[in-house]
Amino acid sequence: GTAANTTVEPQKTAGKFTDLESVSWAEEAINTLAKYDVINGKSENIFAPNDYIKREEFAKITVNGFGFTDQKKTGFEDVLEGSWYEEYINAAFAAGLISGIDSTHFGVGKFITREDMATMIYRAVKSSKFDTEIILDGYERPELSDLDEVSDYAKDAVEFLIEKGAINGSNGKFNPKGYATRAEAVKVIYQIIKIR
């Protein structure tokens, strides 16, 4: 029976998602982070790359991707005890990655905006003592026309991610208030983890 096992194993990790045709630009990122259990699909073969990603889901992949383990209770009313996301939000809170949508709510169940995604990753970078001075060889900075729409609190974060090649925008725009898809979120995290 050993031969059978050897054929099954690779499938479980590599290229198990069958719905990535529309996001070829994120395929490597999704498959790699799935292999290391940073992310999960919606099921064995479905990643749902074009679905928007929720705030708690993004907290999870950021915490997993950067390896934050310390926990601290947030006191947010919408972070339910014993929920699957509680430990990830507590870890994101302990690492200083999140501040909630208001003083009493994290925003569980809400989709994350692209500028909030950038902010969480940038805080993760700083919290994990990542060398922020890394310069990418031969990198051509994209010209994005709507950066003046980025909220003040997110400006440094967005600028950092553009400089590090993690954000290219779409049709020349970053679209800061738009929602991030699962594929976009994974790609941004992957770009940053890869260069650190």
Side-chain angles (χ1 to χ4, degrees):
T2 51
N5 291 349
T6 51
T7 51
V8 172
E9 201 45 45
Q11 243 119 32
K12 194 171 82 126
T13 51
K16 61 177 178 174
F17 298 123
T18 54
D19 63 345
L20 302 183
E21 308 82 35
S22 63
V23 293
S24 54
W25 48 271
E27 212 164 330
E28 179 195 350
I30 291 167
N31 287 331
T32 305
L33 295 190
K35 194 163 84 182
Y36 292 107
D37 285 332
V38 171
I39 57 167
N40 306 96
K42 299 268 185 172
S43 72
E44 193 61 33
N45 304 110
I46 299 298
F47 183 68
N50 299 310
D51 286 5
Y52 293 136
I53 190 162
K54 292 183 175 151
R55 291 172 57 84
E56 64 274 23
E57 293 168 341
F58 190 68
K60 174 184 172 174
I61 65 173
T62 307
V63 162
N64 281 351
F66 282 86
F68 294 118
T69 52
D70 292 352
Q71 303 264 324
K72 188 170 157 197
K73 283 233 179 288
T74 63
F76 292 135
E77 291 166 16
D78 59 346
V79 176
L80 303 180
E81 290 241 353
S83 58
W84 68 265
Y85 53 77
E86 183 189 19
E87 60 175 306
Y88 300 111
I89 293 180
N90 287 351
F93 190 62
L97 313 190
I98 58 173
S99 43
I101 51 169
D102 60 41
S103 58
T104 50
H105 296 88
F106 170 67
V108 169
K110 292 189 181 305
F111 296 129
I112 195 162
T113 62
R114 293 161 60 84
E115 64 182 8
D116 281 355
M117 170 180 76
T119 302
M120 217 186 278
I121 295 180
Y122 184 52
R123 289 175 179 163
V125 163
K126 294 207 293 203
S127 188
S128 64
K129 308 285 190 280
F130 172 174
D131 173 12
T132 54
E133 301 306 307
I134 297 165
I135 306 292
L136 303 183
D137 278 350
Y139 172 59
E140 194 76 33
R141 182 196 160 101
E143 279 309 312
L144 302 177
S145 62
D146 62 349
L147 294 181
D148 53 340
E149 292 168 26
V150 175
S151 302
D152 283 349
Y153 69 80
K155 280 191 177 3
D156 287 351
V158 171
E159 184 53 43
F160 173 81
L161 292 181
I162 291 171
E163 264 179 31
K164 300 296 177 260
I167 285 176
N168 320 320
S170 137
N171 303 328
K173 288 185 171 1
F174 172 55
N175 190 14
K177 314 282 192 253
Y179 297 131
T181 65
R182 289 166 57 82
E184 287 165 354
V186 171
K187 172 81 172 183
V188 174
I189 291 254
Y190 179 64
Q191 289 296 114
I192 292 298
I193 296 174
K194 203 167 66 170
I195 60 172
R196 86 178 180 155

